[in-house]
Coordinates of all heavy atoms in Angstrom, one line a residue:
M25 N 110.9 137.1 21.4 CA 112.1 136.6 21.9 C 112.0 135.0 22.1 O 111.1 134.5 22.6 CB 112.5 137.2 23.2 CG 113.8 136.8 23.8 SD 113.9 137.5 25.4 CE 115.6 137.8 25.5
A26 N 113.0 134.3 21.6 CA 113.0 132.9 21.7 C 113.2 132.4 23.1 O 113.9 133.1 23.9 CB 114.2 132.3 20.8
E27 N 112.7 131.3 23.5 CA 112.9 130.7 24.8 C 114.4 130.4 24.9 O 115.0 129.9 24.0 CB 112.0 129.5 25.0 CG 112.1 129.0 26.4 CD 111.1 127.9 26.7 OE1 110.4 127.5 25.7 OE2 111.1 127.4 27.8
E28 N 114.9 130.6 26.1 CA 116.3 130.3 26.3 C 116.5 129.1 27.4 O 115.6 128.9 28.2 CB 117.1 131.5 26.8 CG 117.1 132.6 25.7 CD 117.9 133.8 26.0 OE1 118.0 134.1 27.2 OE2 118.3 134.4 25.1
F29 N 117.6 128.4 27.3 CA 117.9 127.3 28.1 C 119.3 127.3 28.5 O 120.1 128.2 28.1 CB 117.7 126.0 27.3 CG 116.3 125.8 26.7 CD1 116.0 126.4 25.5 CD2 115.3 125.2 27.4 CE1 114.7 126.2 24.9 CE2 114.1 125.0 26.9 CZ 113.7 125.6 25.7
G30 N 119.7 126.4 29.3 CA 121.1 126.0 29.6 C 121.4 124.7 28.9 O 120.5 124.2 28.2
V31 N 122.6 124.3 28.9 CA 123.0 123.0 28.3 C 123.9 122.2 29.3 O 124.6 122.8 30.1 CB 123.7 123.1 27.0 CG1 122.8 123.6 25.9 CG2 125.0 123.9 27.0
E32 N 123.7 120.9 29.2 CA 124.7 120.0 29.9 C 125.4 119.2 28.9 O 124.9 118.7 27.9 CB 123.9 119.0 30.8 CG 124.8 118.1 31.6 CD 124.0 117.3 32.6 OE1 123.3 116.4 32.2 OE2 124.0 117.7 33.8
I33 N 126.7 119.2 29.1 CA 127.6 118.5 28.1 C 128.3 117.3 28.8 O 128.8 117.5 29.9 CB 128.7 119.5 27.6 CG1 128.0 120.8 27.0 CG2 129.7 118.9 26.6 CD1 128.9 122.0 27.1
T34 N 128.1 116.2 28.2 CA 128.6 114.9 28.8 C 129.5 114.2 27.8 O 129.0 113.9 26.6 CB 127.4 114.0 29.2 OG1 126.6 114.8 30.1 CG2 127.9 112.8 30.0
V35 N 130.6 113.7 28.2 CA 131.5 112.9 27.4 C 130.8 111.5 27.3 O 130.6 110.8 28.3 CB 132.9 112.7 27.9 CG1 133.7 111.7 27.1 CG2 133.6 114.1 27.9
E36 N 130.4 111.1 26.1 CA 129.7 109.8 25.9 C 130.6 108.7 25.4 O 130.3 107.5 25.8 CB 128.6 110.0 24.8 CG 127.3 110.6 25.3 CD 126.2 110.4 24.3 OE1 126.4 110.1 23.1 OE2 125.1 110.6 24.8
S37 N 131.6 109.0 24.7 CA 132.5 107.9 24.2 C 133.8 108.4 23.9 O 134.0 109.6 23.6 CB 131.8 107.1 23.0 OG 131.8 108.0 21.9
I38 N 134.8 107.5 24.0 CA 136.2 107.8 23.7 C 136.7 106.5 23.0 O 136.7 105.4 23.6 CB 137.0 108.1 25.0 CG1 136.4 109.3 25.7 CG2 138.5 108.3 24.6 CD1 137.1 109.6 27.0
F39 N 137.3 106.7 21.8 CA 137.8 105.6 21.1 C 139.1 105.0 21.7 O 139.3 103.8 21.8 CB 138.1 106.0 19.6 CG 138.7 104.9 18.8 CD1 137.9 103.8 18.4 CD2 140.0 104.9 18.4 CE1 138.4 102.8 17.6 CE2 140.5 103.9 17.6 CZ 139.7 102.9 17.2
Q40 N 140.0 105.9 22.1 CA 141.2 105.4 22.8 C 141.6 106.5 23.8 O 141.1 107.6 23.7 CB 142.4 105.1 21.9 CG 142.9 106.3 21.1 CD 144.0 105.8 20.1 OE1 144.1 104.7 19.7 NE2 144.9 106.8 19.7
P41 N 142.5 106.3 24.8 CA 142.7 107.2 25.8 C 143.0 108.7 25.3 O 143.7 108.9 24.4 CB 143.9 106.7 26.6 CG 143.8 105.2 26.4 CD 143.2 105.0 25.0
C42 N 142.3 109.6 26.0 CA 142.4 111.0 25.6 C 143.7 111.6 26.3 O 143.8 111.4 27.5 CB 141.2 111.7 26.1 SG 141.2 113.5 26.0
G43 N 144.5 112.3 25.5 CA 145.7 113.0 26.1 C 145.4 114.0 27.2 O 146.2 114.3 28.0
A44 N 144.2 114.6 27.1 CA 143.8 115.6 28.1 C 143.2 114.9 29.4 O 142.9 115.6 30.3 CB 142.8 116.5 27.5
G45 N 143.0 113.6 29.3 CA 142.5 112.9 30.5 C 141.0 112.8 30.6 O 140.5 112.3 31.6
H46 N 140.3 113.1 29.5 CA 138.8 113.0 29.6 C 138.4 111.5 29.8 O 139.1 110.6 29.3 CB 138.1 113.6 28.3 CG 138.1 115.1 28.3 ND1 137.4 115.8 29.2 CD2 138.8 115.9 27.5 CE1 137.6 117.1 28.9 NE2 138.5 117.2 27.9
Q47 N 137.3 111.3 30.5 CA 136.7 110.0 30.7 C 135.3 110.0 30.3 O 134.6 111.1 30.5 CB 136.9 109.6 32.2 CG 138.3 109.6 32.7 CD 139.1 108.4 32.1 OE1 138.6 107.3 32.0 NE2 140.3 108.7 31.8
V48 N 134.7 108.9 29.9 CA 133.3 108.8 29.7 C 132.6 109.2 31.0 O 133.0 108.8 32.1 CB 132.9 107.4 29.2 CG1 131.4 107.2 29.2 CG2 133.5 107.1 27.9
G49 N 131.6 110.0 30.9 CA 130.8 110.5 32.0 C 131.2 111.9 32.5 O 130.5 112.5 33.3
D50 N 132.4 112.4 32.1 CA 132.8 113.8 32.4 C 131.6 114.7 32.0 O 131.0 114.5 31.0 CB 134.0 114.2 31.7 CG 135.3 113.6 32.2 OD1 135.2 112.9 33.3 OD2 136.4 113.8 31.6
R51 N 131.3 115.7 32.9 CA 130.1 116.5 32.7 C 130.4 117.9 33.1 O 131.1 118.2 34.0 CB 129.0 115.9 33.5 CG 127.7 116.6 33.3 CD 126.6 115.8 34.0 NE 126.5 114.5 33.2 CZ 125.9 113.5 33.6 NH1 125.4 113.4 34.8 NH2 125.9 112.4 32.9
C52 N 129.9 118.9 32.3 CA 129.9 120.3 32.6 C 128.6 120.9 32.1 O 127.8 120.3 31.5 CB 131.1 121.0 32.0 SG 131.2 120.9 30.2
R53 N 128.4 122.2 32.5 CA 127.2 122.9 32.1 C 127.5 124.3 31.8 O 128.4 124.9 32.2 CB 126.2 122.9 33.3 CG 125.6 121.6 33.6 CD 124.6 121.7 34.8 NE 124.0 120.4 34.9 CZ 122.9 120.2 35.6 NH1 122.3 121.2 36.2 NH2 122.4 119.0 35.7
I54 N 126.6 124.8 30.9 CA 126.5 126.2 30.7 C 125.1 126.6 31.0 O 124.2 126.1 30.4 CB 126.8 126.6 29.2 CG1 128.2 126.1 28.8 CG2 126.7 128.1 29.0 CD1 128.5 126.3 27.3
R55 N 125.0 127.4 32.0 CA 123.6 127.8 32.5 C 123.3 129.2 32.0 O 124.2 130.1 32.0 CB 123.5 127.8 34.0 CG 123.6 126.4 34.6 CD 123.3 126.5 36.1 NE 123.4 125.1 36.6 CZ 122.5 124.2 36.7 NH1 121.3 124.5 36.2 NH2 122.6 123.1 37.3
N56 N 122.1 129.4 31.7 CA 121.6 130.8 31.3 C 120.8 131.3 32.5 O 119.7 130.9 32.8 CB 120.7 130.7 30.1 CG 120.3 132.0 29.6 OD1 120.2 133.0 30.3 ND2 120.1 132.1 28.3
V57 N 121.5 132.1 33.3 CA 120.9 132.6 34.5 C 120.5 134.1 34.3 O 121.4 135.0 34.3 CB 121.8 132.5 35.7 CG1 121.2 133.0 37.0 CG2 122.3 131.0 35.9
D58 N 119.2 134.3 34.1 CA 118.7 135.7 33.8 C 119.5 136.4 32.7 O 119.9 137.6 32.8 CB 118.7 136.5 35.1 CG 117.8 135.9 36.2 OD1 116.8 135.4 35.8 OD2 118.1 136.1 37.4
G59 N 119.8 135.7 31.7 CA 120.4 136.2 30.5 C 121.9 136.2 30.5 O 122.6 136.6 29.5
A60 N 122.5 135.8 31.6 CA 124.0 135.7 31.7 C 124.4 134.3 31.6 O 123.9 133.4 32.4 CB 124.5 136.3 33.0
L61 N 125.3 133.9 30.7 CA 125.8 132.6 30.6 C 126.9 132.3 31.6 O 127.8 133.0 31.8 CB 126.3 132.3 29.2 CG 125.3 132.5 28.1 CD1 126.0 132.2 26.7 CD2 124.1 131.6 28.3
K62 N 126.7 131.2 32.4 CA 127.7 130.8 33.4 C 128.2 129.4 33.1 O 127.4 128.4 32.9 CB 127.0 130.7 34.8 CG 126.2 131.9 35.1 CD 126.9 132.9 36.0 CE 126.0 134.0 36.3 NZ 126.6 135.1 37.0
M63 N 129.5 129.3 32.9 CA 130.1 128.0 32.7 C 130.5 127.3 34.0 O 131.1 128.0 34.8 CB 131.4 128.2 31.8 CG 131.1 128.7 30.4 SD 132.5 129.1 29.4 CE 133.0 127.5 28.9
E64 N 130.1 126.1 34.2 CA 130.3 125.4 35.4 C 131.0 124.0 35.1 O 130.7 123.3 34.2 CB 128.9 125.0 36.1 CG 128.1 126.2 36.4 CD 126.7 125.8 37.0 OE1 126.3 124.7 36.8 OE2 126.1 126.7 37.5
D65 N 132.0 123.7 36.0 CA 132.7 122.5 36.0 C 133.5 122.2 34.7 O 133.6 121.1 34.3 CB 131.7 121.3 36.2 CG 130.9 121.4 37.5 OD1 131.6 121.8 38.5 OD2 129.7 121.2 37.6
F66 N 134.0 123.3 34.1 CA 134.9 123.2 33.0 C 136.4 123.0 33.3 O 137.2 122.9 32.5 CB 134.7 124.4 32.0 CG 133.6 124.3 31.1 CD1 132.3 124.7 31.5 CD2 133.8 123.8 29.8 CE1 131.3 124.6 30.6 CE2 132.7 123.7 28.9 CZ 131.4 124.1 29.3
D67 N 136.7 123.0 34.6 CA 138.1 122.8 35.0 C 138.6 121.5 34.5 O 138.0 120.4 34.6 CB 138.2 122.8 36.6 CG 138.0 124.1 37.2 OD1 137.9 125.1 36.5 OD2 137.9 124.1 38.5
G68 N 139.8 121.6 33.8 CA 140.4 120.4 33.2 C 139.9 120.0 31.8 O 140.4 119.1 31.2
W69 N 138.9 120.7 31.3 CA 138.4 120.4 30.0 C 139.3 120.9 29.0 O 139.9 122.0 29.0 CB 137.0 121.0 29.8 CG 135.9 120.1 30.4 CD1 135.7 119.8 31.7 CD2 134.9 119.4 29.7 NE1 134.7 119.0 31.8 CE2 134.1 118.7 30.6 CE3 134.6 119.3 28.3 CZ2 133.1 117.9 30.2 CZ3 133.5 118.5 28.0 CH2 132.8 117.8 28.9
C70 N 139.6 120.1 28.0 CA 140.5 120.4 26.9 C 139.9 121.5 26.0 O 138.7 121.5 25.7 CB 140.6 119.1 26.1 SG 141.4 119.3 24.5
P71 N 140.7 122.5 25.7 CA 140.2 123.6 24.9 C 139.6 123.2 23.5 O 138.7 123.8 23.0 CB 141.4 124.5 24.7 CG 142.4 124.2 25.8 CD 142.1 122.7 26.1
E72 N 140.2 122.1 22.9 CA 139.7 121.7 21.6 C 138.3 121.1 21.8 O 137.5 121.3 20.9 CB 140.7 120.6 21.0 CG 142.0 121.3 20.5 CD 143.1 121.3 21.6 OE1 142.8 121.0 22.8 OE2 144.2 121.7 21.2
L73 N 138.1 120.3 22.8 CA 136.7 119.8 23.0 C 135.7 120.9 23.3 O 134.6 120.9 22.8 CB 136.7 118.7 24.1 CG 135.4 118.0 24.4 CD1 134.9 117.4 23.1 CD2 135.6 117.0 25.5
V74 N 136.1 121.8 24.2 CA 135.3 123.0 24.5 C 134.9 123.7 23.2 O 133.7 124.0 23.0 CB 135.9 123.9 25.5 CG1 135.1 125.2 25.7 CG2 136.1 123.2 26.9
Q75 N 135.9 124.0 22.4 CA 135.6 124.7 21.1 C 134.7 123.9 20.2 O 133.8 124.4 19.5 CB 136.9 125.0 20.4 CG 136.7 125.8 19.1 CD 138.1 126.2 18.5 OE1 139.1 125.8 19.0 NE2 138.0 126.9 17.4
A76 N 134.8 122.6 20.3 CA 133.9 121.7 19.4 C 132.5 121.8 19.9 O 131.6 121.7 19.0 CB 134.4 120.3 19.4
V77 N 132.2 121.9 21.2 CA 130.8 121.8 21.7 C 130.2 123.2 21.7 O 128.9 123.3 21.8 CB 130.7 121.1 23.1 CG1 131.3 119.7 23.0 CG2 131.4 121.9 24.1
L78 N 130.9 124.3 21.7 CA 130.3 125.6 21.9 C 129.3 126.0 20.8 O 128.3 126.6 21.1 CB 131.4 126.7 22.1 CG 132.1 126.7 23.4 CD1 133.2 127.8 23.4 CD2 131.1 126.9 24.6
P79 N 129.6 125.8 19.5 CA 128.6 126.3 18.5 C 127.2 125.7 18.7 O 126.2 126.4 18.8 CB 129.2 125.9 17.2 CG 130.7 125.8 17.4 CD 130.8 125.3 18.9
A80 N 127.1 124.4 18.9 CA 125.8 123.8 19.1 C 125.3 124.2 20.5 O 124.0 124.4 20.6 CB 125.9 122.2 19.1
S81 N 126.1 124.3 21.5 CA 125.7 124.8 22.8 C 125.0 126.1 22.7 O 123.9 126.3 23.3 CB 126.8 124.8 23.8 OG 127.4 123.5 24.0
F82 N 125.6 127.1 22.1 CA 125.1 128.4 22.0 C 123.8 128.4 21.2 O 122.8 129.1 21.6 CB 126.1 129.4 21.3 CG 127.3 129.7 22.2 CD1 128.5 130.1 21.7 CD2 127.2 129.7 23.6 CE1 129.6 130.4 22.5 CE2 128.2 130.0 24.4 CZ 129.4 130.3 23.8
A83 N 123.7 127.7 20.2 CA 122.4 127.6 19.4 C 121.3 127.0 20.3 O 120.2 127.6 20.4 CB 122.6 126.7 18.2
M84 N 121.6 126.0 21.0 CA 120.6 125.3 21.9 C 120.2 126.2 23.1 O 119.0 126.3 23.5 CB 121.1 124.0 22.3 CG 121.2 123.0 21.2 SD 122.0 121.4 21.7 CE 120.5 120.7 22.5
I85 N 121.2 126.9 23.6 CA 120.9 127.8 24.7 C 119.9 128.9 24.3 O 119.0 129.3 25.1 CB 122.2 128.5 25.2 CG1 123.0 127.4 26.0 CG2 122.0 129.7 26.1 CD1 124.5 127.9 26.3
H86 N 120.0 129.3 23.1 CA 119.1 130.4 22.6 C 117.9 129.9 21.9 O 117.3 130.7 21.1 CB 119.9 131.4 21.8 CG 121.0 132.1 22.6 ND1 120.7 132.9 23.7 CD2 122.3 132.0 22.6 CE1 121.8 133.4 24.2 NE2 122.8 132.8 23.6
G87 N 117.5 128.6 22.1 CA 116.3 128.1 21.6 C 116.4 127.5 20.2 O 115.4 127.0 19.7
G88 N 117.6 127.5 19.6 CA 117.7 126.9 18.3 C 117.8 125.3 18.4 O 117.8 124.7 19.4
S89 N 117.7 124.7 17.2 CA 117.8 123.3 17.1 C 118.7 122.9 15.9 O 118.9 123.7 15.1 CB 116.4 122.7 17.0 OG 115.8 123.1 15.8
M90 N 119.1 121.6 16.0 CA 119.9 121.1 14.9 C 119.1 120.0 14.2 O 118.4 119.2 14.8 CB 121.2 120.4 15.4 CG 122.4 121.2 15.9 SD 122.3 122.9 15.9 CE 122.3 123.2 17.6
P91 N 119.3 119.9 12.9 CA 118.5 118.8 12.2 C 118.9 117.4 12.7 O 118.2 116.5 12.5 CB 118.9 119.0 10.7 CG 119.6 120.3 10.6 CD 120.0 120.7 12.0
W92 N 120.1 117.3 13.2 CA 120.6 116.0 13.7 C 120.3 115.7 15.2 O 120.8 114.7 15.7 CB 122.1 115.8 13.4 CG 123.0 116.9 14.0 CD1 123.5 116.9 15.2 CD2 123.3 118.1 13.4 NE1 124.3 118.0 15.4 CE2 124.2 118.8 14.3 CE3 123.1 118.7 12.1 CZ2 124.7 120.0 14.0 CZ3 123.6 119.9 11.9 CH2 124.4 120.6 12.8
E93 N 119.5 116.5 15.8 CA 119.1 116.2 17.2 C 118.4 114.9 17.3 O 117.6 114.5 16.4 CB 118.1 117.3 17.7 CG 118.8 118.5 18.3 CD 117.8 119.5 18.9 OE1 116.8 119.0 19.6 OE2 117.9 120.7 18.5
D94 N 118.7 114.1 18.3 CA 118.0 112.8 18.5 C 116.6 113.1 19.2 O 116.3 114.2 19.5 CB 118.8 111.8 19.2 CG 119.1 112.1 20.6 OD1 118.5 113.0 21.2 OD2 120.0 111.5 21.2
R95 N 115.9 112.0 19.4 CA 114.5 112.2 20.0 C 114.5 112.8 21.4 O 113.6 113.3 21.8 CB 113.9 110.8 20.0 CG 113.5 110.3 18.6 CD 112.8 109.0 18.7 NE 112.7 108.4 17.4 CZ 111.6 107.9 16.9 NH1 110.6 107.8 17.7 NH2 111.5 107.4 15.7
E96 N 115.6 112.6 22.1 CA 115.8 113.2 23.4 C 116.2 114.7 23.4 O 116.4 115.3 24.4 CB 116.7 112.4 24.3 CG 116.2 111.0 24.7 CD 116.4 110.0 23.6 OE1 117.5 110.0 22.9 OE2 115.5 109.2 23.4
G97 N 116.4 115.2 22.2 CA 116.8 116.6 22.1 C 118.3 116.8 22.3 O 118.8 117.9 22.5
K98 N 119.1 115.7 22.1 CA 120.6 115.8 22.3 C 121.2 115.9 20.9 O 120.7 115.3 19.9 CB 121.1 114.5 22.9 CG 121.0 114.4 24.3 CD 121.9 113.2 24.8 CE 121.2 112.4 25.8 NZ 122.0 111.2 26.1
V99 N 122.3 116.6 20.9 CA 123.2 116.6 19.7 C 124.6 116.2 20.2 O 124.9 116.2 21.4 CB 123.3 118.0 19.0 CG1 121.9 118.5 18.5 CG2 123.9 119.1 19.9
R100 N 125.4 115.7 19.3 CA 126.7 115.3 19.6 C 127.8 116.0 18.8 O 127.5 116.4 17.6 CB 126.8 113.8 19.3 CG 126.1 113.0 20.4 CD 125.8 111.6 20.0 NE 125.0 110.9 21.0 CZ 123.6 111.1 21.2 NH1 123.0 111.8 20.3 NH2 123.0 110.4 22.1
S101 N 128.9 116.3 19.5 CA 130.0 117.0 18.8 C 131.2 116.1 19.1 O 131.3 115.5 20.2 CB 130.2 118.4 19.3 OG 129.2 119.2 18.9
A102 N 132.2 116.2 18.2 CA 133.4 115.4 18.3 C 134.6 116.3 18.5 O 134.7 117.3 17.8 CB 133.6 114.5 17.1
C103 N 135.5 115.9 19.4 CA 136.8 116.5 19.5 C 137.5 116.4 18.1 O 137.4 115.4 17.5 CB 137.6 115.9 20.6 SG 139.3 116.4 20.7
P104 N 138.3 117.4 17.7 CA 139.0 117.3 16.4 C 140.2 116.4 16.4 O 140.7 116.1 15.4 CB 139.4 118.8 16.2 CG 139.5 119.4 17.5 CD 138.4 118.7 18.3
D105 N 140.5 115.8 17.6 CA 141.6 114.8 17.6 C 141.1 113.5 17.1 O 140.4 112.8 17.8 CB 142.1 114.7 19.0 CG 143.3 113.7 19.2 OD1 143.5 112.9 18.3 OD2 144.0 113.7 20.2
G106 N 141.4 113.2 15.9 CA 140.9 111.9 15.3 C 141.4 110.7 15.9 O 140.8 109.6 15.7
A107 N 142.5 110.7 16.6 CA 143.0 109.5 17.2 C 142.2 109.0 18.4 O 141.9 107.9 18.5 CB 144.5 109.7 17.7
C108 N 141.9 109.9 19.3 CA 141.1 109.5 20.5 C 139.6 109.6 20.3 O 138.9 108.9 21.0 CB 141.5 110.2 21.8 SG 141.4 112.0 21.7
R109 N 139.1 110.4 19.4 CA 137.7 110.5 19.0 C 136.8 110.7 20.2 O 135.9 109.8 20.5 CB 137.3 109.4 18.2 CG 137.9 109.4 16.8 CD 137.5 108.3 16.0 NE 138.7 107.4 15.7 CZ 138.6 106.2 15.2 NH1 137.5 105.7 14.9 NH2 139.7 105.6 15.0
V110 N 136.9 111.7 21.0 CA 136.1 112.0 22.1 C 134.7 112.6 21.6 O 134.7 113.5 20.8 CB 136.7 113.0 23.1 CG1 135.7 113.4 24.2 CG2 138.0 112.5 23.7
I111 N 133.6 111.9 22.0 CA 132.3 112.4 21.5 C 131.6 112.9 22.8 O 131.5 112.2 23.8 CB 131.5 111.2 20.9 CG1 132.3 110.6 19.8 CG2 130.1 111.7 20.5 CD1 132.5 111.4 18.6
A112 N 131.1 114.1 22.7 CA 130.3 114.7 23.7 C 128.9 115.0 23.3 O 128.6 115.4 22.2 CB 130.9 116.0 24.2
A113 N 127.9 114.7 24.2 CA 126.5 114.9 24.0 C 126.2 116.2 24.6 O 126.6 116.5 25.7 CB 125.7 113.8 24.5
I114 N 125.3 117.0 24.0 CA 124.9 118.3 24.5 C 123.3 118.2 24.6 O 122.7 117.9 23.6 CB 125.3 119.4 23.5 CG1 126.8 119.4 23.3 CG2 124.8 120.8 24.0 CD1 127.2 120.0 21.9
R115 N 122.8 118.5 25.8 CA 121.3 118.5 25.9 C 120.9 119.7 26.6 O 121.6 120.3 27.5 CB 120.9 117.2 26.6 CG 121.2 117.2 28.1 CD 120.5 116.0 28.8 NE 120.8 116.0 30.2 CZ 120.1 116.6 31.1 NH1 119.1 117.3 30.7 NH2 120.5 116.6 32.4
R116 N 119.7 120.2 26.3 CA 119.1 121.4 27.0 C 118.7 121.1 28.4 O 118.3 120.0 28.7 CB 117.8 121.8 26.2 CG 118.1 122.4 24.9 CD 116.7 122.8 24.3 NE 116.9 123.2 22.9 CZ 117.0 122.3 21.9 NH1 116.8 121.0 22.1 NH2 117.2 122.7 20.7
I117 N 118.9 122.1 29.3 CA 118.4 122.0 30.6 C 117.6 123.3 30.9 O 117.8 124.3 30.2 CB 119.6 121.9 31.6 CG1 120.6 123.0 31.5 CG2 120.2 120.5 31.5 CD1 121.7 123.0 32.6
P118 N 116.7 123.3 31.8 CA 115.8 124.5 32.0 C 116.7 125.7 32.4 O 117.7 125.6 33.1 CB 114.9 124.0 33.2 CG 114.9 122.6 33.2 CD 116.3 122.2 32.7
Q119 N 116.2 126.8 32.0 CA 116.8 128.1 32.4 C 116.5 128.4 33.8 O 115.4 128.1 34.3 CB 116.3 129.2 31.5 CG 116.8 130.6 31.8 CD 116.3 131.7 30.9 OE1 116.2 131.4 29.7 NE2 116.1 132.8 31.4
E120 N 117.4 129.1 34.5 CA 117.2 129.5 35.9 C 116.7 130.9 36.0 O 117.2 131.7 35.2 CB 118.4 129.3 36.7 CG 118.8 127.9 36.9 CD 120.0 127.7 37.8 OE1 120.3 128.7 38.6 OE2 120.6 126.7 37.8
H121 N 115.9 131.3 36.9 CA 115.5 132.6 37.1 C 115.7 133.0 38.6 O 115.4 132.2 39.4 CB 114.0 132.9 36.8 CG 113.7 132.7 35.3 ND1 114.0 133.6 34.4 CD2 113.2 131.6 34.6 CE1 113.6 133.2 33.2 NE2 113.2 132.0 33.3
H122 N 116.3 134.1 38.8 CA 116.5 134.6 40.2 C 115.7 135.9 40.4 O 115.6 136.7 39.5 CB 117.9 134.8 40.5 CG 118.7 133.5 40.5 ND1 119.5 133.1 39.5 CD2 118.8 132.5 41.4 CE1 120.0 132.0 39.7 NE2 119.6 131.5 40.9
S123 N 115.2 136.1 41.6 CA 114.5 137.3 41.9 C 115.3 138.3 42.6 O 116.2 138.0 43.3 CB 113.2 137.0 42.7 OG 112.4 136.2 42.0

């Protein structure tokens, strides 16, 4: 079985103001807690941006990697709105275990 992780998703850049109100530094997490995925701090996140980050997030949560990961193990995904161009970074975080 592959090692599993959580991910932290952070808005890194915005070309012009986002209609959903995202700001650089907005952050949320998907934690893998004993095999159950828990989404944290997604209130107010635009569904299009969430949809854009989920594929890479799920791969990274389950131990996968992308050829375009940077040296820090981050990947980036872009919102499909080409006007505001919100870019979010996704990075692995340690998995939690509860007894």
Side-chain angles (χ1 to χ4, degrees):
M25 179 187 216
E27 186 174 1
E28 295 184 334
F29 302 88
V31 293
E32 183 173 75
I33 303 155
T34 306
V35 174
E36 278 196 340
S37 67
I38 300 174
F39 179 70
Q40 65 182 23
C42 169
H46 285 292
Q47 300 290 320
V48 171
D50 287 353
R51 184 169 294 163
C52 60
R53 290 180 174 197
I54 303 173
R55 292 189 183 272
N56 188 330
V57 182
D58 296 330
L61 299 182
K62 311 262 183 187
M63 296 175 77
E64 300 175 347
D65 302 319
F66 275 86
D67 288 350
W69 277 65
C70 168
E72 288 88 353
L73 183 56
V74 171
Q75 185 175 358
V77 300
L78 285 179
S81 296
F82 289 152
M84 293 174 78
I85 285 167
H86 296 294
S89 62
M90 286 1 112
W92 56 90
E93 274 183 46
D94 67 15
R95 290 178 189 227
E96 289 81 41
K98 281 192 223 174
V99 298
R100 286 162 183 82
S101 291
C103 172
D105 181 344
C108 58
R109 291 181 246 165
V110 176
I111 306 295
I114 305 156
R115 72 173 181 87
R116 286 181 192 85
I117 57 176
Q119 178 177 325
E120 293 184 18
H121 294 280
H122 293 104
S123 300

